[in-house]
Each structure stands twice: as structure tokens, then as C-alpha cells.
């Protein structure tokens, strides 16, 4: 329950910050985060395939 409260509090802070930031900044930040998550996913997938083939 405490985790849910903390997550909602953090979400409120983030959404409040985005609401006051300029639209271009929000879009650029979103694109950067999406690219970072995409790169992370590709690296993880590549790492798991290589690890599976080795064993």
C-alpha cells in the first residue's frame, strides 16, 4: 500500500512539472526517454540471445 502511495505521489510531481514546462521541452524529454528505453531493450534482447546460445 505504501508503494502505491509513493508511486502516485511521484506521478503527481512529474505530471505537475510537465504541466508547467514548455511543450517543446516535454516532447524532447519524451523522445530522449523513449530512445533510452529502446536502446536498453535492444541491448537486453541481444544480451539474452548471446547468453542463451553460449549455454
Amino acid at each position: 500500500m505504501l508503494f502505491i502511495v509513493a508511486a502516485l505521489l511521484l506521478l503527481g510531481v512529474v505530471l505537475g512539472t510537465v504541466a508547467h514546462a514548455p511543450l517543446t521541452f516535454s516532447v524532447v524529454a519524451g523522445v530522449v526517454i523513449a530512445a533510452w528505453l529502446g536502446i536498453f531493450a535492444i541491448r537486453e534482447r541481444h544480451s539474452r540471445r548471446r547468453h542463451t546460445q553460449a549455454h
Side-chain angles (χ1 to χ4, degrees):
M1 185 70 176
L2 187 59
F3 176 76
I4 293 172
V5 172
L8 288 174
L9 181 65
L10 182 62
L11 181 64
V13 169
V14 170
L15 288 178
T17 302
V18 170
H20 294 290
L23 182 62
T24 54
F25 175 78
S26 299
V27 170
V28 169
V31 168
V32 168
I33 292 169
W36 178 68
L37 289 174
I39 292 168
F40 177 77
I42 291 169
R43 289 181 63 198
E44 283 294 312
R45 184 176 300 197
H46 180 69
S47 172
R48 288 185 186 190
R49 281 188 192 169
R50 186 176 49 183
H51 183 68
T52 306
Q53 291 175 353
H55 289 108

